[in-house]
Amino acid sequence: MDFSEYYIASHNGKSNCVVRSFCKLFQKEYDEVFLELCNLANELNISSFNEIEVFESYLSKHDIKKIEVGE
């Protein structure tokens, strides 16, 4: 898949680098990951798929846990 055709930069300076990373990590197509993130954002009542809470929840659903590091 050519990820360059999916480059989307928002007006807030956010882009889709996490979606593209998830595609590589989970061996999924861009559309599939994007749709899963959008659906998860809706479930969490978050207005955008491109938020940390959505990414963390997505990873957790795929059994990837966040490591808490002390300050």
Side-chain angles (χ1 to χ4, degrees):
M1 171 185 349
D2 181 12
F3 292 111
S4 62
E5 67 184 281
Y6 294 109
Y7 181 79
I8 303 167
S10 73
H11 298 292
N12 298 335
K14 296 179 180 179
S15 64
N16 63 349
C17 57
V18 175
V19 178
R20 290 182 286 122
S21 297
F22 286 171
C23 290
K24 288 185 174 273
L25 178 65
F26 299 115
Q27 299 295 306
K28 293 183 176 186
E29 291 295 321
Y30 185 94
D31 294 340
E32 181 180 2
V33 173
F34 181 80
L35 184 59
E36 289 174 349
L37 288 170
C38 288
N39 289 336
L40 186 55
N42 285 336
E43 288 175 23
L44 297 172
N45 200 28
I46 296 175
S47 62
S48 171
F49 76 92
N50 207 9
E51 298 293 334
I52 291 172
E53 296 88 356
V54 178
F55 299 150
E56 288 178 349
S57 183
Y58 186 82
L59 289 171
S60 180
K61 286 185 175 214
H62 286 85
D63 294 325
I64 297 176
K65 306 298 180 206
K66 180 179 177 181
I67 298 173
E68 299 291 336
V69 179
E71 294 183 26

